[in-house]
Amino acid sequence: MDLTMGEKFAAFCRELQDPTIEGIARSNGAGEIFDRVKAAVLAGQGNAEIEADLDRLNRTVRESEGVEFYPSRVRAYRPLSGASPDSGALWWSCPAGLCAGRGRVRFGEDPPVCGATGAVLVPQPLTR
């Protein structure tokens, strides 16, 4: 699966709202990796080493539980030739730009909260 760093951060941020991934990491010898990734996400500092750590955590979860915490599908939008690049759809987005956000905004729903920072996500146009 070919995900951006932001999409990987977003998947990890969602998991921070629940202690399951941390427990799996610690019980499988990956507690230090979990701590490094969490610190990097909170600081907004992604690099190749952190991405490799995220991939190792995802692999640890897959080997332990048979599932991954990375999403199986990635959002995508490509306009027709000559059409506006704006889909009109809104996406719950990280206000700090640390991750890829949380999903399409639906009328009347409460905004989700970032599992890493506790910040309320904001609606922004889905343009990619």
Side-chain angles (χ1 to χ4, degrees):
M1 172 178 320
D2 192 23
L3 298 175
T4 67
M5 175 71 84
E7 290 162 337
K8 291 176 181 184
F9 265 25
F12 185 76
C13 286
R14 276 191 300 274
E15 297 300 329
L16 288 175
Q17 294 176 325
D18 181 299
T20 303
I21 298 297
E22 181 176 8
I24 292 168
R26 296 201 187 288
S27 66
N28 287 282
E32 287 183 23
I33 295 171
F34 179 89
D35 293 339
R36 263 195 317 272
V37 171
K38 183 176 179 179
V41 167
L42 291 172
Q45 299 174 343
N47 58 36
E49 288 178 37
I50 295 302
E51 185 169 18
D53 281 346
L54 277 164
D55 292 342
R56 277 192 283 274
L57 281 176
N58 188 57
R59 211 169 23 256
T60 298
V61 171
R62 183 180 62 239
E63 290 168 359
S64 173
E65 304 297 312
V67 295
E68 299 182 3
F69 67 84
Y70 285 164
S72 59
R73 292 191 313 156
V74 178
R75 64 186 163 115
Y77 170 75
R78 191 172 71 193
L80 295 173
S81 178
S84 167
D86 185 358
S87 69
L90 296 177
W91 189 263
W92 289 118
S93 303
C94 175
L98 299 177
C99 73
R102 179 73 57 81
R104 190 171 66 83
V105 176
R106 290 176 173 74
F107 178 75
E109 75 179 322
D110 291 331
V113 175
C114 176
T117 65
V120 174
L121 300 185
V122 296
Q124 294 184 340
L126 173 60
T127 58
R128 69 169 210 133

